Amino acid sequence: MARDALAATADAQAALKKKTAAARSWILFDSSGEGTILDADKYAIMHRVQIHARDLRILDPLLSYPSTILGRERAIVLNLEHIKAIITADEVLLRDPTEENVIPIVEELRRRLRSDNDINQAHGEGRENINGQHDVEGVEEDESFVESPFEFRALEVALEAICSYLDARTTELETAAYPALDELTSKISSRNLDRVRKLKSAMTRLTARVQKVRDELEQLLDDDDDMADLYLTRKLAGASSPVSGSGVPNWLPGSPTIGSKISRASRASAATIHGNENDVEELEMLLEAYFMQIDGTLNKLATLREYIDDTEDYINIQIFVLAA
């Protein structure tokens, strides 16, 4: 009897362990920037955001999927290095929020969404103040206000974070590599050769990571249908309204960060764009800004590779001369 009790306890512990292993830690942000920690299994997540298991599998850290931005009917599935998120028209689900590299994204999402929400509320109060008044200037200012769809604001945070992260890793590599290469040309030794070999390997791995992000952005930019799939708010409005595309999507002014400054100029020109189902210009301008940034990072790595190749050629010549 005691053996049966021990067996039952062991089975219960095993079931609890299995359940705990299946559940993953997520943080859920709503449109006001309020975050809630969720410990949910894949079925709960799939039901909440209405995506298939194959889409959720892309976010599994145990599987090596390349950088991916997928548009689904009601969600954007985002896999960019350590940033693994699901974006809907009014929520962001970010995986493993306590990981070291993810914490800055959590804080930036909270700050950016709260800031945008405050601006939106302030603008709403301003509109109430001018209602009923025949102030032409005030009406013009009101019409010039444009609000970004929630999914694009969340996507911008993720793109800015991954581009900045990879650029920082590139800068760190440059800081270590260029002095090491110069030291090798002045003194050829086993220690210096091994150091440069390790740096070259690190550069090759980093280049592949940057290339994957760049390729994903380029692929999106080359396909208008894929970009249209990311317009979740527009699709939702079209599904709930008999007449879609009759209004102008509002843009929220960006926060004072580098990425937002890039896109703020784009938003000014996007303010006159009507909600045409086939129009993807506002998203195209957003993606182009970060494509240029990641392409610049890739160019820095290409320059470093050329410097390494030149150094290797010089070393080979030196060794040949000494051998002769």
Side-chain angles (χ1 to χ4, degrees):
M1 190 170 183
R3 186 178 299 172
D4 292 340
L6 288 173
T9 302
D11 290 342
Q13 290 176 344
L16 180 61
K17 185 176 181 181
K18 184 177 180 181
K19 184 178 179 180
T20 304
R24 297 289 183 177
S25 178
W26 299 77
I27 186 168
L28 170 69
F29 284 105
D30 60 19
S31 58
S32 64
E34 294 299 321
T36 304
I37 297 294
L38 301 177
D39 286 320
D41 61 23
K42 64 180 183 179
Y43 300 106
I45 297 297
M46 288 162 52
H47 178 73
R48 185 181 187 95
V49 298
Q50 298 184 19
I51 61 174
H52 295 293
R54 64 176 179 270
D55 295 328
L56 190 60
R57 201 174 296 122
I58 293 171
L59 306 182
D60 192 334
L62 301 178
L63 302 176
S64 298
Y65 279 93
S67 294
T68 306
I69 302 174
L70 289 178
R72 293 297 181 249
E73 185 59 31
R74 297 194 179 184
I76 298 172
V77 182
L78 193 71
N79 176 36
L80 298 172
E81 296 268 323
H82 51 275
I83 304 174
K84 302 180 185 299
I86 303 171
I87 303 170
T88 71
D90 54 9
E91 292 179 343
V92 182
L93 278 162
L94 185 65
R95 188 165 191 163
D96 300 326
T98 56
E99 286 194 3
E100 181 181 357
N101 291 330
V102 182
I103 291 174
I105 295 104
V106 171
E107 296 302 320
E108 182 63 14
L109 268 172
R110 181 180 288 113
R111 186 193 67 79
R112 187 83 64 88
L113 294 177
R114 282 180 178 174
S115 174
D116 288 349
N117 186 59
D118 291 343
I119 293 172
N120 194 26
Q121 288 181 349
H123 174 72
E125 293 173 0
R127 292 188 65 177
E128 291 177 1
N129 292 336
I130 66 171
N131 278 344
Q133 298 180 8
H134 300 286
D135 187 347
V136 176
E137 182 179 353
V139 172
E140 289 177 351
E141 289 180 3
D142 181 68
E143 290 179 349
S144 69
F145 177 83
V146 278
E147 175 188 356
S148 169
F150 174 83
E151 63 269 23
F152 291 173
R153 284 182 274 146
L155 177 61
E156 183 177 5
V157 172
L159 290 174
E160 180 182 341
I162 193 60
C163 289
S164 298
Y165 175 82
L166 291 173
D167 189 65
R169 301 293 78 75
T170 300
T171 300
E172 290 174 359
L173 184 61
E174 287 178 317
T175 302
Y178 283 115
L181 291 165
D182 292 339
E183 185 177 347
L184 179 61
T185 57
S186 62
K187 182 182 179 182
I188 302 174
S189 67
S190 299
R191 175 182 172 274
N192 288 339
L193 284 168
D194 187 59
R195 183 183 175 193
V196 169
R197 180 186 61 80
K198 291 177 180 178
L199 288 169
K200 184 178 180 180
S201 297
M203 182 207 63
T204 301
R205 291 192 299 270
L206 182 57
T207 300
R209 293 162 61 191
V210 173
Q211 185 73 55
K212 287 177 182 178
V213 175
R214 181 193 179 280
D215 288 348
E216 181 61 21
L217 292 179
E218 184 176 38
Q219 184 177 339
L220 264 178
L221 286 166
D222 287 342
D223 194 321
D224 286 358
D225 290 337
D226 285 348
M227 284 193 285
D229 284 340
L230 304 187
Y231 280 75
L232 305 180
T233 299
R234 188 165 70 188
K235 288 191 291 185
L236 197 61
S240 61
S241 172
V243 180
S244 63
S246 59
V248 181
N250 291 328
W251 280 90
L252 260 179
S255 58
T257 61
I258 295 174
S260 294
K261 288 177 182 176
I262 292 173
S263 64
R264 191 178 298 128
S266 303
R267 292 172 184 171
S269 60
T272 58
I273 299 171
H274 292 274
N276 187 338
E277 287 183 2
N278 298 319
D279 174 57
V280 294
E281 187 172 351
E282 68 182 78
L283 177 59
E284 184 177 21
M285 289 187 288
L286 175 66
L287 294 176
E288 280 179 349
Y290 292 101
F291 175 81
M292 291 172 61
Q293 186 174 343
I294 199 70
D295 192 52
T297 301
L298 191 62
N299 287 336
K300 289 198 290 186
L301 288 166
T303 301
L304 177 58
R305 174 176 287 279
E306 290 176 3
Y307 198 86
I308 291 175
D309 291 342
D310 291 344
T311 302
E312 288 179 338
D313 291 340
Y314 175 79
I315 297 302
N316 289 333
I317 293 171
Q318 290 291 94
I319 292 174
F320 178 79
V321 170
L322 290 174

